[in-house]
Amino acid sequence: MAMASSSSNQETHLYISLLSTASVASHSTPSPSLRISVKAPLLALSLLLFVACIAFTKPAFLRLSESPSKSSPVPSHGTAKPTSVGSHLNSAIKTNSTHGSSPSMQRKSGSYAELVHKHKTLSGSEIYLKQAGEDASFYQPKSTAPTIFSEDGRLYSPWNSTAYESLRTAFHFQPESNWMNDPNAPLYYNGWYHLFYQYNPYYAYWGLISWGHAVSVDLIHWLYLDLAMEPDQWYDINGVWTGSATFLEDGTPLVLYTGSTNESAQVQNLAFPSDPTDFLLRNWTKYAGNPVLVPPTGILSTDFRDPTTAWIGTDGLWRLGIGSKLEQKGIAMVYSSSDFINWTMHENYLHEVEGTGMWECLDFFPVNMSGSAMGVDTSIYGEDVKHVLKSSMDNSKLDFYVIGTYDYENYTFIPDDPSADLGLGLRYDYGKFYASKTFYDANEGRRILWGWINESDSLQDDIEKGWASVQALPRQVWFDNVTQANLLQWPVDEVLDLRRTKVTLESTVLESGSVVEVSGGSGAQLDIELTFNNPTTSIEGHRDIVMADESYSCSEGTAARQGYYGPFGLLVLASEDLQEQTSVYFYFATINGKWTAFICNDQSRSTLASEVDIATYGSVVPVLETETSLSVRVIVDHSIVETYAQGGRTCVTSRVYPTLALEDAAQLFVFNNGTMPVTLQSLTAWQVSKVYMHAYSTVQ
Ligand code: DQQ
């Protein structure tokens, strides 16, 4: 921490200069056509609403099924008629367009001006009918203190407020206080990265969900803005839930989000920037005709949420995915629209998998088959791309993904390996990482993944800390064309700018049972890269040694369980006497007669505190027989340990709560607890500086 504070002046200058660069860039580009103010129309709408409220005395249209401004949603699944599809599919969209659209597309609509026009032209009575559900009884009092704890029910906690403060992260995104969950609608707009997030602005636990909003010029330093949206309409009064951004043809972003209505039904709502020339996108207008989508027949009203970023079909219509379930079959429904307001459900699902339960927070995007780390904009498809479908599984609270082919004639997705279908195979992260969402960063031509890291301490500790949850570092994602089977994930390059002093270890043989301190590597803010010889390759002369098959999974093991090769790796956030330590290790088990590598984060000795999660997380790491090195990057940020193995093929994120190994008392070791020696090729550990995260108003 001493290091962090000594560099803070320098960081201030750096950030202020970044800010001024962004604002110079941003002020040089406004398009006159976008200078549309909706303040006057909103005032007019408010007046109309007032008049309408007087005219109508009975709110007779509270129920969704009676919502008159949408002719009935879609009659039932299977009856909606798919819109026609062009036949020259491969040639449809090949170019990488900035905002997910192609100039050659024959789209019927797609401008901000059109949207505002439709917003303005709803009649006063239509608006009244939409608003009629705003019964005051559905508002929850916002100032009532929580009553869920009594003094008697208080759990033992070894932390005082200083220790709590030490668990706050230094370079991961988190709000100043209170509760956060899913990342929402991440986007890049005229010099600024925007992150919206599910946020309870009043308490450190879930509820009263609004959209928090922060902006950055580098994805690392952040400025908090006022709430982007609050639950203030009948169609979102129980929560402004998760949503995604899409750029209209003219480059204006809009968002579709799930509202939890006054009757706790889930509907999809549209919102757009009140002033697109404000590149901070501070004010959002909810479309007067909301909701634009209600649960179709056959779908429970509580199982219809989290619209994806939209993409464009060959017919020029927008497509959108929404997650749901039928009994325990997880499904991704797909809708079409020409104007983002009127949506038609397709007969077939984008995808479905039995037994996986409710699919939340769907994400659907293309990746480059060549293995280039360059991202691919969401509407692009063709022979050069594969598609990734991701779902957050409500039953298990785990994020799964699957790679496959998008059949753009039938709007369905075909997994490459049905045995590893969505929910059965790959995960982005085998630790704590949920409700993730990607976006295409047109600024750098890359696709970036955000994911929510929840707490695993007690609710009472969260309340005493005054905050709960962080976001994982933004990760660049792309297709691994070496394995041809998984994505690669890597912290965005901007994280490298936070590296400060470093220590290194030369090539060393770690004998069985050795624990070696990395001198100069203490601290709770570290970025560590290390490589080992792959002990199962000929480099160690052990290729032919194969043990009897062993059943192994990280969840059943710890760093104390000795194997032949492994566990070996790092101890981070370790107290001097090793009473506390979080180990990140490789372990090789023989499965089906072949050495199989695992990467695990063992939290079993991470804290002396009770009431926290101390499981071991991790999974298999694909390591080819020809690969003679094993690599791992471990990022430590006070209460977070993020592990990226073998270039990002397998990632594991831990949430740990040391009580001794805090700040500079946290030490770093390498170890080998396997029977056989292993060779550490190299290790470099950088101290990482704290980033700026402040209210925008404080830097004006
Ligand atoms: N979080 C949101 C929902 C979403 C869930 C509510 C996933 O929209 O399904 O805060 O964490």
Side-chain angles (χ1 to χ4, degrees), residues 181-182 198 206 209 241-242 258 305-306 360-361 397 434-435 452:
N181 53 298
D182 317 355
Q198 295 282 281
W206 189 87
I209 293 294
W241 286 2
T242 279
T258 298
R305 58 184 179 270
D306 310 334
E360 301 187 314
C361 303
K397 299 288 179 215
Y434 193 61
W452 162 42

Side-chain angles (χ1 to χ4, degrees), residues 350-377:
L350 182 65
H351 200 46
E352 55 187 270
V353 180
E354 282 293 352
T356 53
M358 174 68 197
W359 286 3
E360 301 187 314
C361 303
L362 287 182
D363 200 13
F364 185 56
F365 59 90
V367 285
N368 216 316
M369 277 173 76
S370 73
S372 157
M374 294 297 288
V376 183
D377 207 347

Side-chain angles (χ1 to χ4, degrees), residues 48-49 52 56 61 67-70 118-132 234 287-290:
L48 280 171
L49 175 61
F56 289 78
F61 299 94
S67 176
S69 65
K70 276 291 129 278
K118 286 185 175 160
H119 177 73
K120 279 161 54 178
T121 51
L122 280 186
S123 73
S125 58
E126 280 174 309
I127 294 166
Y128 169 71
L129 296 172
K130 292 288 183 184
Q131 303 250 344
W234 71 266
Y287 174 56
N290 280 337

Side-chain angles (χ1 to χ4, degrees), residues 213-292:
H213 185 192
V215 289
S216 170
V217 294
D218 62 2
L219 288 165
I220 299 297
H221 301 80
W222 290 92
L223 296 171
Y224 306 118
L225 297 172
D226 289 344
L227 295 178
M229 291 190 283
E230 291 182 81
D232 54 10
Q233 304 293 319
W234 71 266
Y235 52 76
D236 62 13
I237 198 64
N238 277 311
V240 181
W241 286 2
T242 279
S244 303
T246 304
F247 283 95
L248 290 176
E249 204 166 37
D250 65 9
T252 314
L254 52 73
V255 299
L256 275 170
Y257 69 92
T258 298
S260 178
T261 72
N262 52 3
E263 294 180 344
S264 295
Q266 292 163 12
V267 298
Q268 316 313 323
N269 302 313
L270 180 63
F272 48 91
S274 307
D275 174 10
T277 65
D278 170 18
F279 298 141
L280 297 178
L281 299 173
R282 276 170 285 200
N283 297 307
W284 288 79
T285 299
K286 293 176 185 172
Y287 174 56
N290 280 337
V292 294

